[in-house]
mmCIF file of all heavy atoms in Angstrom:
data_model
loop_
_atom_site.group_PDB
_atom_site.id
_atom_site.type_symbol
_atom_site.label_atom_id
_atom_site.label_comp_id
_atom_site.label_asym_id
_atom_site.label_seq_id
_atom_site.Cartn_x
_atom_site.Cartn_y
_atom_site.Cartn_z
ATOM 1 N N ALA A 1190 78.134 156.149 127.079
ATOM 2 C CA ALA A 1190 77.042 155.168 127.192
ATOM 3 C C ALA A 1190 76.413 154.898 125.826
ATOM 4 O O ALA A 1190 76.135 153.747 125.480
ATOM 5 C CB ALA A 1190 75.993 155.666 128.180
ATOM 6 N N VAL A 1191 76.224 155.940 125.050
ATOM 7 C CA VAL A 1191 75.664 155.759 123.701
ATOM 8 C C VAL A 1191 76.643 154.983 122.823
ATOM 9 O O VAL A 1191 76.247 154.079 122.084
ATOM 10 C CB VAL A 1191 75.320 157.125 123.064
ATOM 11 C CG1 VAL A 1191 74.991 156.983 121.594
ATOM 12 C CG2 VAL A 1191 74.163 157.781 123.810
ATOM 13 N N ALA A 1192 77.930 155.304 122.942
ATOM 14 C CA ALA A 1192 78.945 154.657 122.100
ATOM 15 C C ALA A 1192 79.064 153.164 122.378
ATOM 16 O O ALA A 1192 79.359 152.395 121.456
ATOM 17 C CB ALA A 1192 80.303 155.324 122.299
ATOM 18 N N ILE A 1193 78.837 152.731 123.610
ATOM 19 C CA ILE A 1193 78.922 151.295 123.886
ATOM 20 C C ILE A 1193 77.565 150.604 123.754
ATOM 21 O O ILE A 1193 77.497 149.379 123.698
ATOM 22 C CB ILE A 1193 79.567 150.991 125.260
ATOM 23 C CG1 ILE A 1193 78.704 151.442 126.417
ATOM 24 C CG2 ILE A 1193 80.957 151.573 125.332
ATOM 25 C CD1 ILE A 1193 79.217 150.998 127.784
ATOM 26 N N THR A 1194 76.498 151.390 123.695
ATOM 27 C CA THR A 1194 75.149 150.827 123.570
ATOM 28 C C THR A 1194 74.835 150.396 122.143
ATOM 29 O O THR A 1194 74.241 149.331 121.929
ATOM 30 C CB THR A 1194 74.102 151.836 124.060
ATOM 31 O OG1 THR A 1194 74.278 152.016 125.472
ATOM 32 C CG2 THR A 1194 72.694 151.366 123.788
ATOM 33 N N ILE A 1195 75.229 151.183 121.173
ATOM 34 C CA ILE A 1195 74.873 150.884 119.775
ATOM 35 C C ILE A 1195 75.397 149.518 119.335
ATOM 36 O O ILE A 1195 74.625 148.683 118.854
ATOM 37 C CB ILE A 1195 75.323 152.023 118.837
ATOM 38 C CG1 ILE A 1195 74.507 153.280 119.151
ATOM 39 C CG2 ILE A 1195 75.180 151.620 117.372
ATOM 40 C CD1 ILE A 1195 75.001 154.539 118.469
ATOM 41 N N PRO A 1196 76.689 149.205 119.514
ATOM 42 C CA PRO A 1196 77.138 147.863 119.110
ATOM 43 C C PRO A 1196 76.538 146.750 119.975
ATOM 44 O O PRO A 1196 76.352 145.626 119.500
ATOM 45 C CB PRO A 1196 78.658 147.905 119.231
ATOM 46 C CG PRO A 1196 79.005 149.178 119.870
ATOM 47 C CD PRO A 1196 77.819 150.061 119.873
ATOM 48 N N TYR A 1197 76.213 147.057 121.241
ATOM 49 C CA TYR A 1197 75.556 146.059 122.087
ATOM 50 C C TYR A 1197 74.234 145.629 121.457
ATOM 51 O O TYR A 1197 73.963 144.439 121.323
ATOM 52 C CB TYR A 1197 75.310 146.625 123.492
ATOM 53 C CG TYR A 1197 74.411 145.758 124.341
ATOM 54 C CD1 TYR A 1197 74.944 144.729 125.091
ATOM 55 C CD2 TYR A 1197 73.035 145.961 124.379
ATOM 56 C CE1 TYR A 1197 74.123 143.907 125.864
ATOM 57 C CE2 TYR A 1197 72.210 145.161 125.147
ATOM 58 C CZ TYR A 1197 72.755 144.147 125.887
ATOM 59 O OH TYR A 1197 71.937 143.344 126.643
ATOM 60 N N TRP A 1198 73.421 146.593 121.061
ATOM 61 C CA TRP A 1198 72.115 146.253 120.479
ATOM 62 C C TRP A 1198 72.249 145.615 119.103
ATOM 63 O O TRP A 1198 71.437 144.766 118.733
ATOM 64 C CB TRP A 1198 71.191 147.466 120.448
ATOM 65 C CG TRP A 1198 70.693 147.772 121.838
ATOM 66 C CD1 TRP A 1198 71.058 148.827 122.626
ATOM 67 C CD2 TRP A 1198 69.789 146.993 122.617
ATOM 68 N NE1 TRP A 1198 70.429 148.747 123.842
ATOM 69 C CE2 TRP A 1198 69.645 147.632 123.865
ATOM 70 C CE3 TRP A 1198 69.096 145.810 122.395
ATOM 71 C CZ2 TRP A 1198 68.831 147.127 124.873
ATOM 72 C CZ3 TRP A 1198 68.281 145.308 123.406
ATOM 73 C CH2 TRP A 1198 68.147 145.967 124.627
ATOM 74 N N LEU A 1199 73.269 146.002 118.356
ATOM 75 C CA LEU A 1199 73.518 145.320 117.080
ATOM 76 C C LEU A 1199 73.815 143.846 117.323
ATOM 77 O O LEU A 1199 73.307 142.969 116.613
ATOM 78 C CB LEU A 1199 74.672 145.984 116.330
ATOM 79 C CG LEU A 1199 74.400 147.362 115.737
ATOM 80 C CD1 LEU A 1199 75.686 147.956 115.188
ATOM 81 C CD2 LEU A 1199 73.335 147.281 114.672
ATOM 82 N N GLY A 1200 74.634 143.555 118.313
ATOM 83 C CA GLY A 1200 74.935 142.173 118.653
ATOM 84 C C GLY A 1200 73.718 141.444 119.185
ATOM 85 O O GLY A 1200 73.489 140.280 118.871
ATOM 86 N N ARG A 1201 72.916 142.142 119.959
ATOM 87 C CA ARG A 1201 71.715 141.524 120.542
ATOM 88 C C ARG A 1201 70.740 141.085 119.454
ATOM 89 O O ARG A 1201 70.163 140.010 119.517
ATOM 90 C CB ARG A 1201 71.056 142.534 121.486
ATOM 91 C CG ARG A 1201 69.861 142.045 122.202
ATOM 92 C CD ARG A 1201 70.231 141.686 123.594
ATOM 93 N NE ARG A 1201 69.057 141.240 124.316
ATOM 94 C CZ ARG A 1201 69.020 141.123 125.595
ATOM 95 N NH1 ARG A 1201 70.076 141.420 126.306
ATOM 96 N NH2 ARG A 1201 67.959 140.689 126.194
ATOM 97 N N PHE A 1202 70.569 141.939 118.440
ATOM 98 C CA PHE A 1202 69.637 141.620 117.367
ATOM 99 C C PHE A 1202 70.249 140.673 116.331
ATOM 100 O O PHE A 1202 69.522 140.008 115.611
ATOM 101 C CB PHE A 1202 69.113 142.889 116.693
ATOM 102 C CG PHE A 1202 68.190 143.675 117.573
ATOM 103 C CD1 PHE A 1202 68.484 144.979 117.896
ATOM 104 C CD2 PHE A 1202 67.046 143.114 118.096
ATOM 105 C CE1 PHE A 1202 67.643 145.724 118.714
ATOM 106 C CE2 PHE A 1202 66.190 143.827 118.921
ATOM 107 C CZ PHE A 1202 66.493 145.140 119.233
ATOM 108 N N SER A 1203 71.574 140.627 116.272
ATOM 109 C CA SER A 1203 72.226 139.729 115.312
ATOM 110 C C SER A 1203 72.145 138.281 115.751
ATOM 111 O O SER A 1203 72.158 137.374 114.926
ATOM 112 C CB SER A 1203 73.694 140.119 115.131
ATOM 113 O OG SER A 1203 73.784 141.394 114.562
ATOM 114 N N GLY A 1204 72.114 138.055 117.039
ATOM 115 C CA GLY A 1204 71.949 136.694 117.544
ATOM 116 C C GLY A 1204 73.254 136.031 117.924
ATOM 117 O O GLY A 1204 74.336 136.606 117.849
ATOM 118 N N LYS A 1205 73.121 134.795 118.329
ATOM 119 C CA LYS A 1205 74.242 134.009 118.859
ATOM 120 C C LYS A 1205 75.318 133.732 117.818
ATOM 121 O O LYS A 1205 76.489 133.589 118.159
ATOM 122 C CB LYS A 1205 73.681 132.690 119.421
ATOM 123 C CG LYS A 1205 74.688 131.839 120.108
ATOM 124 C CD LYS A 1205 75.122 132.437 121.415
ATOM 125 C CE LYS A 1205 76.024 131.454 122.146
ATOM 126 N NZ LYS A 1205 76.962 132.090 123.016
ATOM 127 N N HIS A 1206 74.957 133.702 116.539
ATOM 128 C CA HIS A 1206 75.968 133.389 115.521
ATOM 129 C C HIS A 1206 77.067 134.448 115.476
ATOM 130 O O HIS A 1206 78.195 134.154 115.116
ATOM 131 C CB HIS A 1206 75.323 133.210 114.145
ATOM 132 C CG HIS A 1206 74.902 134.478 113.490
ATOM 133 N ND1 HIS A 1206 73.716 135.119 113.788
ATOM 134 C CD2 HIS A 1206 75.536 135.244 112.573
ATOM 135 C CE1 HIS A 1206 73.630 136.219 113.065
ATOM 136 N NE2 HIS A 1206 74.714 136.322 112.325
ATOM 137 N N ILE A 1207 76.753 135.685 115.852
ATOM 138 C CA ILE A 1207 77.783 136.732 115.854
ATOM 139 C C ILE A 1207 78.826 136.427 116.938
ATOM 140 O O ILE A 1207 80.019 136.674 116.744
ATOM 141 C CB ILE A 1207 77.177 138.142 116.013
ATOM 142 C CG1 ILE A 1207 78.194 139.222 115.614
ATOM 143 C CG2 ILE A 1207 76.730 138.422 117.411
ATOM 144 C CD1 ILE A 1207 78.328 139.433 114.172
ATOM 145 N N ALA A 1208 78.396 135.866 118.065
ATOM 146 C CA ALA A 1208 79.349 135.476 119.114
ATOM 147 C C ALA A 1208 80.276 134.374 118.611
ATOM 148 O O ALA A 1208 81.486 134.400 118.883
ATOM 149 C CB ALA A 1208 78.603 135.021 120.363
ATOM 150 N N ASP A 1209 79.733 133.432 117.864
ATOM 151 C CA ASP A 1209 80.565 132.367 117.302
ATOM 152 C C ASP A 1209 81.606 132.936 116.332
ATOM 153 O O ASP A 1209 82.755 132.498 116.323
ATOM 154 C CB ASP A 1209 79.701 131.332 116.594
ATOM 155 C CG ASP A 1209 78.771 130.604 117.552
ATOM 156 O OD1 ASP A 1209 79.113 130.521 118.756
ATOM 157 O OD2 ASP A 1209 77.710 130.129 117.104
ATOM 158 N N GLU A 1210 81.205 133.911 115.536
ATOM 159 C CA GLU A 1210 82.150 134.554 114.611
ATOM 160 C C GLU A 1210 83.234 135.308 115.366
ATOM 161 O O GLU A 1210 84.399 135.324 114.957
ATOM 162 C CB GLU A 1210 81.401 135.495 113.672
ATOM 163 C CG GLU A 1210 80.522 134.781 112.667
ATOM 164 C CD GLU A 1210 79.738 135.744 111.786
ATOM 165 O OE1 GLU A 1210 80.120 136.933 111.698
ATOM 166 O OE2 GLU A 1210 78.741 135.301 111.191
ATOM 167 N N ILE A 1211 82.856 135.941 116.476
ATOM 168 C CA ILE A 1211 83.839 136.657 117.297
ATOM 169 C C ILE A 1211 84.853 135.667 117.866
ATOM 170 O O ILE A 1211 86.061 135.934 117.866
ATOM 171 C CB ILE A 1211 83.135 137.461 118.407
ATOM 172 C CG1 ILE A 1211 82.370 138.640 117.785
ATOM 173 C CG2 ILE A 1211 84.134 137.953 119.447
ATOM 174 C CD1 ILE A 1211 81.455 139.367 118.743
ATOM 175 N N PHE A 1212 84.382 134.507 118.332
ATOM 176 C CA PHE A 1212 85.294 133.495 118.869
ATOM 177 C C PHE A 1212 86.264 133.000 117.806
ATOM 178 O O PHE A 1212 87.420 132.728 118.094
ATOM 179 C CB PHE A 1212 84.528 132.309 119.445
ATOM 180 C CG PHE A 1212 83.895 132.584 120.775
ATOM 181 C CD1 PHE A 1212 82.630 132.100 121.054
ATOM 182 C CD2 PHE A 1212 84.556 133.306 121.754
ATOM 183 C CE1 PHE A 1212 82.037 132.341 122.281
ATOM 184 C CE2 PHE A 1212 83.976 133.554 122.983
ATOM 185 C CZ PHE A 1212 82.718 133.069 123.245
ATOM 186 N N GLU A 1213 85.795 132.876 116.570
ATOM 187 C CA GLU A 1213 86.668 132.425 115.483
ATOM 188 C C GLU A 1213 87.739 133.462 115.171
ATOM 189 O O GLU A 1213 88.911 133.130 115.003
ATOM 190 C CB GLU A 1213 85.850 132.152 114.230
ATOM 191 C CG GLU A 1213 85.115 130.838 114.241
ATOM 192 C CD GLU A 1213 84.365 130.608 112.933
ATOM 193 O OE1 GLU A 1213 84.818 131.101 111.881
ATOM 194 O OE2 GLU A 1213 83.319 129.936 112.974
ATOM 195 N N LYS A 1214 87.325 134.714 115.073
ATOM 196 C CA LYS A 1214 88.255 135.770 114.680
ATOM 197 C C LYS A 1214 89.163 136.216 115.827
ATOM 198 O O LYS A 1214 90.309 136.589 115.611
ATOM 199 C CB LYS A 1214 87.471 136.974 114.138
ATOM 200 C CG LYS A 1214 88.366 138.023 113.531
ATOM 201 C CD LYS A 1214 87.593 139.050 112.760
ATOM 202 C CE LYS A 1214 88.543 140.037 112.116
ATOM 203 N NZ LYS A 1214 87.874 141.038 111.346
ATOM 204 N N TYR A 1215 88.632 136.200 117.057
ATOM 205 C CA TYR A 1215 89.389 136.655 118.228
ATOM 206 C C TYR A 1215 89.424 135.525 119.270
ATOM 207 O O TYR A 1215 88.545 135.444 120.123
ATOM 208 C CB TYR A 1215 88.743 137.901 118.844
ATOM 209 C CG TYR A 1215 88.695 139.082 117.918
ATOM 210 C CD1 TYR A 1215 87.564 139.344 117.146
ATOM 211 C CD2 TYR A 1215 89.774 139.945 117.815
ATOM 212 C CE1 TYR A 1215 87.512 140.434 116.301
ATOM 213 C CE2 TYR A 1215 89.731 141.038 116.977
ATOM 214 C CZ TYR A 1215 88.599 141.278 116.218
ATOM 215 O OH TYR A 1215 88.559 142.357 115.388
ATOM 216 N N PRO A 1216 90.428 134.668 119.215
ATOM 217 C CA PRO A 1216 90.500 133.545 120.165
ATOM 218 C C PRO A 1216 90.513 133.996 121.632
ATOM 219 O O PRO A 1216 90.053 133.269 122.503
ATOM 220 C CB PRO A 1216 91.809 132.844 119.802
ATOM 221 C CG PRO A 1216 92.104 133.261 118.401
ATOM 222 C CD PRO A 1216 91.503 134.632 118.246
#
């Protein structure tokens, strides 16, 4: 739970632009 929580909160605080970058790098 801790191992999957840390990157979740990093993504949450990074904002929507990180999702766009993920879509670019990982179709």
